[in-house]
């Protein structure tokens, strides 16, 4: 009888031990980039994390970016994953305010991120606490067809006048100076941001996106006047409003267009379209108003933990993992972007190196219009930019409308 | 018969008609033909801009199998079946019951209820969007197959009830009466007398509802997130985002999405057409 | 003819009273489903339109403020205008459906095959139709562009032109809609009374006169249904706009159904209250047509 009890206890114990040993905790990570490079980088990182953590069962979901943006609001409330990709700055603000993102300042404390991720920290901070961990950021600027420039004897323009000269020469030779695809409106915002940063500087740009300056302000109008010089001269690709940014790569690749105001993620697309590194090069957006300190666009991508997540403990492990120097080096090398950890290595790629220099010497880093401005303002603003590019004579009407919306949104 | 039957016209006109017919058909189906040609095109064609011309190579098997290999098309198709078939069964059953009640019994609320079902079929989806989504979220039915089935079944009940009620009303009432006189219970009258008679209408309705639900796009986007329960209509859209410049693959996937309703249509043509018109036109 | 059923207290005959409750049992499942998923949500949506809510946090009561804002919203008027254009232009499907039905209403070898193939576009999902036509319109490689080039004209980017874009989308939508009307008319034509036709022919009527005075009146039920479904389809158009332009360029092809989705559930849209207000307006507009349809239906019922 006594033996029987012992036997039962032992078997019970062993069953418990075995089951807990083989019981892997689930970790659901949702990502949103299906472009070949980022997809591969994500999958590699997942594999590495899985190997280092055999007791965690990683379930990785990758979906279409546009859909992710629409779906996030639903899944943060119901059926939340443990980790989700999203954007910092004003884009994370509504979720932080609604209490849907977890405060992860403890992850920052535990991993010395305050020091190693110092440059990007302000973007991840609201109310003195950190709400996510970034894994990459990238420069924006002007990518151009070096071979076409060389053929026509052109040089990298440094000032506005030089820029217009280059555009003019290209147009004379039957080449569209600047390609762009504004079907998904944010590409036009990139152009606006840069012209505004160069015309008025970092502080004025931030004041605008924070709703402190009107769109009809004479300084902002000046930005549009410069932009109009390009639009009216026909320097942009025709029919851009029905093309996505990927569609607009086609003329760039086959030599019909020579410049592209884009982020560094586009280099992958150029390579896939058949261009070689000798054919493409990069220069930072030219100066416009002399004396204005050079600020750059450097949007960051990050991971967040929903407050409705089931497995926050392991989710925090993932956050610490992605910002680790070795993971950073690897990941950013694959996607051709910059690591956010100052201890990581920058890839030996001419664009990355140049990007690194450009951003390190910048007087300020903007997060991109649709992340710096409140969502509803961003939507209206970007539509306004697209409309302006197609009908520049409507500028006054557009600016007045943007003011009206700004007053409503920022009240 | 109107217009005048062609064989009363001189032979010349008859010949012209027979020649013009296929030409008009080809022009009518031109978009479809173009998509099919694109779906068998090679990637090289696309990149050089030859998207709508005559393909340089015919890669039928390759492109279609690549769609299934590279994307989640099989999952989407499976989801579409999982959503559509139960919906058809559920809404047709509910409608039979309700249509029978509204056709046979005469009570004060019969006509108003009937009108509510009819009106419900025509309302804009958008007025339902937010509450239905919220309800799905709070009942845990969000992003599930059953959530979509329940909604579609409920919504289609309007049209189905309208349809069945009209059809049952056209049946001779003597059958019901004689059943009652013989003391047969109401449920048995329904199951054994009426149901067998409405079989053609059921077939027509099933085919129609299958098409409507299979082709729905709006609710697929509102009630799902991620890939796991997405049907093919919403799936085609995310394929377009994924393969932005792979028009040949997106075409192939779109055609695959269109095949089941088309097959259904050809198999049940008579029923399909009878369904569309019978439900609406009272003879 | 139906049997009149009354709840008879005197007789207390269980089977007779059972008859009175029978319809309830048959109707209950359908009614419950319909109430939960269709009727209640309508009221809920209207209710939400009186709040300002971002779907994440607390909802704030604002009364009629959303509607006041709507009347000052230029995107709303653009959408309204586009819905109106849809309404008018979409009705072209009805005569065109009739025309094709007349064309196909012959008895030649294989005509059933032709009829089925002409009906094809209706069976395909609107999403696929939208994709097909956006490629068709593409100014760089689209078929339309090639046609323009072949006759020596510059291709127009229809979907990028704020004036032409709505017409471009409607044209795409007409393709399946014409097929639908065509089938309705084909069936109607097969039910046209042969005797009347013979009599009219003997009287010397032919061609257009025959069509107008003899055939068309008999096709009235088919015309009625075609118009109703076309009107409903025009006001409900969402799929095409969503796939082809997402309401662009800069909102010029927007329709109420899509605008509502944009403000409430899209990437930059967090205003469920405002979106509900738009949906309510759309609902009331459609209620006019639904009411008309029900009234006609009622008259039909009364005649029987």
């Amino acid at each position: 009888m006594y033996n029987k009890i012992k036997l039962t206890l032992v078997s019970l114990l062993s069953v418990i031990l075995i089951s807990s040993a083989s019981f892997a905790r689930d970790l659901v990570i949702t990502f949103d980039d299906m472009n070949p490079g980022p997809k591969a980088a994500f999958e590699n990182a997942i594999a590495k994390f899985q190997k280092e953590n055999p007791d965690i069962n990683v379930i990785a979901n990758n979906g279409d970016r546009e859909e992710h943006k629409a779906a996030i609001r639903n899944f943060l409330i119901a059926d939340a994953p443990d980790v989700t990709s999203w954007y910092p700055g004003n884009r994370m603000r509504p979720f932080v305010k609604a209490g849907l993102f977890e405060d992860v300042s403890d992850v920052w404390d535990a991993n010395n991120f305050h020091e190693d991720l110092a440059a990007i920290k302000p973007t991840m901070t609201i109310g003195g606490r950190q709400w996510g961990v970034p894994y990459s950021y990238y420069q924006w600027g002007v990518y151009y067809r070096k071979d076409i420039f060389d053929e026509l004897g052109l040089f990298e323009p440094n000032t506005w006048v030089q820029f217009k000269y280059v555009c003019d020469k290209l147009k004379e030779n039957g080449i569209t100076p600047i390609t762009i695809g504004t079907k998904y409106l944010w590409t036009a915002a990139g152009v606006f941001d840069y012209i505004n940063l160069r015309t008025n500087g970092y502080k004025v740009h931030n004041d605008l996106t924070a709703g402190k300056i009107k769109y009809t302000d004479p300084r902002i109008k000046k930005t549009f006047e410069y932009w109009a010089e390009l639009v009216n001269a026909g320097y942009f690709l025709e029919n851009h409003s029905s093309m996505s940014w990927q569609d607009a790569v086609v003329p760039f690749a086959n030599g019909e267009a020579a410049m592209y105001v884009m982020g560094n993620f586009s280099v992958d697309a150029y390579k896939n379209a058949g261009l070689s590194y000798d054919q493409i090069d990069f220069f930072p957006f030219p100066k416009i108003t002399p004396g204005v300190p050079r600020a750059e666009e450097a949007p960051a991508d990050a991971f967040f933990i929903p407050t409705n997540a089931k497995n926050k403990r392991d989710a925090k492990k993932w956050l610490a993992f992605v910002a680790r120097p070795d993971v950073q080096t690897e990941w950013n090398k694959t996607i051709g972007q910059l690591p956010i950890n100052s201890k990581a290595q920058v890839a030996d790629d001419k664009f990355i190196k140049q990007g690194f220099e450009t951003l390190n010497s910048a007087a300020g880093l903007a997060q991109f219009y649709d992340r710096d401005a409140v969502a509803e303002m961003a939507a209206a603003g970007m539509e306004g930019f697209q409309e302006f590019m197609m009908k520049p004579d409507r500028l006054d009407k557009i600016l007045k409308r943007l003011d009206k919306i700004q007053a409503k949104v920022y009240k | 018969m109107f217009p005048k039957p062609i064989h009363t016209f001189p032979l010349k006109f008859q010949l012209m008609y027979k020649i013009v017919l296929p030409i008009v058909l080809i022009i009518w189906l031109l978009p479809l033909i173009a998509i099919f040609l694109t779906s068998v095109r090679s990637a090289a064609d696309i990149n050089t801009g030859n998207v709508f011309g005559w393909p340089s190579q015919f890669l039928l098997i390759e492109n279609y199998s690549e769609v299934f290999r590279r994307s989640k098309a099989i999952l989407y198709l499976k989801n579409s079946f999982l959503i559509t078939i139960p919906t058809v069964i559920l809404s047709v059953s509910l409608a039979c019951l309700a249509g029978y009640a509204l056709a046979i019994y005469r009570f004060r609320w019969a006509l108003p209820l009937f009108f509510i079902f009819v009106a419900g079929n025509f309302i804009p989806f958008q007025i339902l969007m937010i509450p239905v989504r919220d309800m799905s979220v709070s009942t845990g039915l969000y992003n599930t197959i059953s959530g979509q089935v329940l909604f579609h079944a409920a919504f289609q009940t309007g049209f189905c009830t309208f349809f069945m009620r009209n059809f049952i009303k056209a049946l001779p009432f003597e059958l019901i009466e004689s059943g009652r006189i013989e003391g047969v219970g109401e449920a048995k009258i329904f199951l054994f007398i009426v149901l067998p008679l409405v079989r053609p209408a059921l077939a027509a309705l099933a085919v129609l509802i299958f098409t409507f639900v299979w082709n729905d796009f709006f609710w697929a986007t509102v009630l799902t997130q991620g890939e796991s329960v997405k049907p093919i209509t919403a799936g085609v859209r995310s394929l377009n985002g994924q393969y932005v410049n792979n028009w040949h693959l997106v075409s192939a996937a779109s055609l695959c999405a269109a095949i089941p309703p088309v097959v259904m249509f050809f198999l049940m043509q008579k029923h399909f057409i009878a369904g569309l018109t019978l439900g609406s036109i009272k003879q | 003819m139906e049997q009149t059923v009354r709840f008879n207290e005197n007789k207390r005959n269980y089977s007779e009273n059972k008859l009175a409750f029978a319809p309830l049992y048959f109707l209950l499942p359908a009614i419950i489903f319909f109430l939960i998923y269709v009727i209640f949500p309508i009221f809920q949506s209207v209710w939400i339109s009186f709040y300002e809510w971002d779907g994440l946090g607390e909802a704030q009561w604002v009364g009629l403020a959303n509607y006041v804002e709507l009347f000052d919203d230029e995107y709303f008027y653009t959408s309204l205008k586009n819905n109106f254009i849809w309404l008018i232009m979409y009705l072209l499907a009805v005569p065109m459906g009739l025309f094709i039905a007349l064309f196909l209403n012959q008895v030649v070898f294989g005509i059933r095959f032709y009829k089925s193939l002409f009906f094809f576009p209706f069976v395909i999902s609107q999403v696929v139709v939208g994709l097909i036509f956006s490629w068709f319109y593409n100014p760089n490689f689209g078929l339309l562009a090639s046609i323009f080039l072949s006759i020596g004209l510059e291709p127009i980017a229809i979907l990028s032109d704020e004036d032409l874009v709505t017409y471009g989308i409607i044209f795409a939508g007409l393709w399946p809609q014409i097929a639908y009307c065509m089938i309705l008319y084909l069936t109607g034509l097969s039910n046209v009374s042969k005797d009347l036709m013979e009599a009219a022919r003997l009287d010397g009527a032919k061609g257009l006169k025959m069509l107008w005075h003899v055939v068309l009146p008999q096709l009235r039920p088919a015309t009625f249904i075609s118009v109703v479904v076309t009107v409903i389809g025009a006001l409900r158009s969402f799929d095409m706009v969503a796939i082809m332009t997402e309401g662009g360029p800069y909102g010029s092809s927007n329709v109420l159904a899509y605008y509502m989705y944009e403000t409430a559930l899209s990437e930059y849209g967090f205003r469920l209250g405002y979106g509900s207000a738009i949906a309510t307006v759309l609902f009331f507009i459609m209620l006019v047509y639904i009411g008309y349809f029900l009234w006609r239906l009622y008259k039909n019922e009364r005649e029987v």
Side-chain angles (χ1 to χ4, degrees), chain C residues 7 23 38 49 54-55 77 88 101-102 126 136 159 177 182-183 189 192 199 209 215 227 257 270 281 283 287:
Chain C
F7 187 68
V38 180
S49 71
D54 67 354
Y77 289 111
I88 308 278
L102 288 173
Q126 293 232 321
F136 181 71
L159 295 182
Q177 193 68 16
M182 175 198 84
I183 280 294
L189 279 173
V192 166
K209 274 185 123 164
V215 179
V227 170
F270 285 85
V281 170
F283 176 64
L287 218 49

Side-chain angles (χ1 to χ4, degrees), chain A residues 34 62-64 67 71 74-75 77-79 244 246-247 250, chain B residues 133 137 142-143 222 225 227 230 234 238 241-242 244-245 247:
Chain A
M34 313 234 19
N62 194 1
D64 173 58
E67 280 199 25
N74 299 333
F75 70 65
I77 300 177
D79 204 19
S244 65
Q246 289 107 327
D247 291 336
V250 173
Chain B
R133 195 209 76 164
V137 167
Y142 180 71
N143 204 36
V222 170
Q225 96 204 16
E227 312 290 293
K230 198 187 286 286
S238 50
Q242 191 181 340
V244 167
N245 275 330
W247 302 126

Side-chain angles (χ1 to χ4, degrees), chain B residues 117-256:
Chain B
F117 278 114
V118 171
N121 182 44
F122 287 140
I123 58 176
F125 293 146
Q126 286 68 28
I127 194 78
L128 304 178
M129 180 171 88
I130 297 171
V132 170
R133 195 209 76 164
D134 285 345
M135 181 170 42
S136 307
V137 167
S138 51
T139 53
L141 288 174
Y142 180 71
N143 204 36
T144 59
I145 296 278
S146 27
Q148 297 178 71
V149 169
L150 286 174
F151 171 75
H152 281 301
F155 189 76
Q156 297 296 340
T157 303
F159 176 73
C160 296
T161 306
F162 167 60
F163 188 89
M164 290 312 300
R165 183 260 193 193
N166 278 351
F167 195 85
I168 295 179
K169 212 144 186 253
L171 293 177
F173 193 69
E174 293 79 51
L175 296 163
I176 317 266
E177 269 186 322
S178 55
R180 287 211 181 119
I181 290 172
E182 287 182 29
V184 184
E186 291 302 301
K188 287 213 172 73
I189 292 181
F190 172 71
L191 283 173
F192 297 114
I193 299 183
V194 177
L195 220 46
L197 286 176
V198 300
R199 269 214 301 257
L202 288 183
L205 198 56
V207 175
L208 267 183
I209 302 303
F210 184 89
T211 307
F212 291 153
V213 178
W214 181 277
N215 285 340
D216 162 77
F217 168 70
F218 182 76
W219 291 103
T221 43
V222 170
L223 292 177
T224 66
Q225 96 204 16
E227 312 290 293
S228 52
V229 293
K230 198 187 286 286
I232 190 72
T233 39
V236 169
R237 184 165 185 217
S238 50
L239 282 176
N240 198 26
Q242 191 181 340
Y243 298 129
V244 167
N245 275 330
N246 292 336
W247 302 126
H248 55 305
L249 294 175
V250 183
S251 314
S254 307
L255 284 182
C256 287

Side-chain angles (χ1 to χ4, degrees), chain A residues 58-271:
Chain A
V58 182
I59 303 170
N61 294 324
N62 194 1
D64 173 58
R65 175 154 286 200
E66 299 302 318
E67 280 199 25
H68 186 256
K69 290 179 191 171
I72 188 167
R73 238 173 311 167
N74 299 333
F75 70 65
L76 282 182
I77 300 177
D79 204 19
D82 298 308
V83 177
T84 181
S85 54
W86 193 241
Y87 318 106
N90 256 324
R91 289 305 278 282
M92 70 177 182
R93 188 176 291 267
F95 301 135
V96 171
K97 253 184 29 193
L100 289 169
F101 275 158
E102 183 85 359
D103 181 344
V104 293
S105 314
D106 53 346
V107 178
W108 284 67
D109 294 333
N111 291 281
N112 203 25
F113 285 161
H114 296 286
E115 222 186 83
D116 297 340
L117 275 53
I120 204 77
K121 188 169 130 175
T123 330
M124 305 301 309
T125 309
I126 294 182
R129 318 286 303 161
Q130 283 71 47
W131 300 92
V133 173
Y135 65 91
S136 181
Y137 71 152
Y138 50 92
Q139 82 272 24
W140 268 65
V142 185
Y143 292 84
Y144 69 101
R145 288 290 300 270
K146 189 158 170 33
D147 48 351
I148 298 182
F149 269 49
D150 286 342
E151 219 184 277
L152 297 178
L154 297 170
F155 51 88
E156 286 184 9
N158 212 333
T159 67
W160 189 244
V161 172
Q162 290 173 352
F163 186 64
K164 284 197 294 176
Y165 173 76
V166 165
C167 290
D168 207 39
K169 263 278 163 303
L170 287 165
K171 197 146 165 75
E172 264 177 38
N173 284 282
I175 301 177
T176 307
I178 311 171
T179 179
I180 188 169
T182 60
K183 181 167 179 197
Y184 297 108
L185 307 165
W186 51 271
T187 49
V191 177
F192 169 76
D193 276 359
Y194 264 114
I195 302 185
N196 198 29
L197 284 172
R198 294 285 184 268
T199 308
N200 294 311
Y202 187 59
K203 178 153 189 341
V204 171
H205 183 72
N206 271 347
D207 284 345
L208 178 69
T209 52
K212 299 196 189 125
I213 300 183
K214 283 182 163 11
Y215 285 83
T216 42
D217 188 298
R219 292 169 288 184
I220 308 297
K221 267 196 102 172
K222 195 111 190 69
T223 302
F224 281 97
E225 278 166 30
Y226 283 121
W227 198 354
E229 288 177 26
L230 301 178
V231 173
N232 288 330
Y235 291 154
F236 286 103
L237 188 70
E238 262 182 51
N239 301 324
H240 52 77
S241 68
S242 52
M243 305 174 80
S244 65
W245 78 263
Q246 289 107 327
D247 291 336
V249 170
V250 173
F252 186 73
N254 62 24
E256 286 167 9
M259 293 191 278
Y260 208 168
V261 178
M262 253 294 147
N264 207 50
F265 55 83
S266 58
V267 175
D268 204 30
Y270 307 147
K271 286 195 284 192

Side-chain angles (χ1 to χ4, degrees), chain A residues 330-387:
Chain A
E330 184 73 35
W331 194 322
N332 283 290
K333 206 159 82 167
T334 314
I335 57 179
Q337 290 182 190
L338 292 164
I340 37 87
N341 192 326
S342 54
K343 292 214 178 82
Q345 279 177 326
V346 173
D348 188 19
D349 165 298
K350 72 174 179 184
F351 295 114
I352 302 294
K353 288 209 145 76
Q354 203 174 354
F356 196 59
E357 279 168 36
T358 311
L359 291 185
N360 276 345
S361 55
L365 295 179
Q367 276 299 299
F368 206 84
Y369 186 74
D370 69 348
R371 301 181 194 187
D372 288 327
V374 169
E376 215 187 315
M377 181 77 249
M382 296 195 298
E383 268 186 4
F385 301 151
Q386 189 196 39
E387 189 177 352

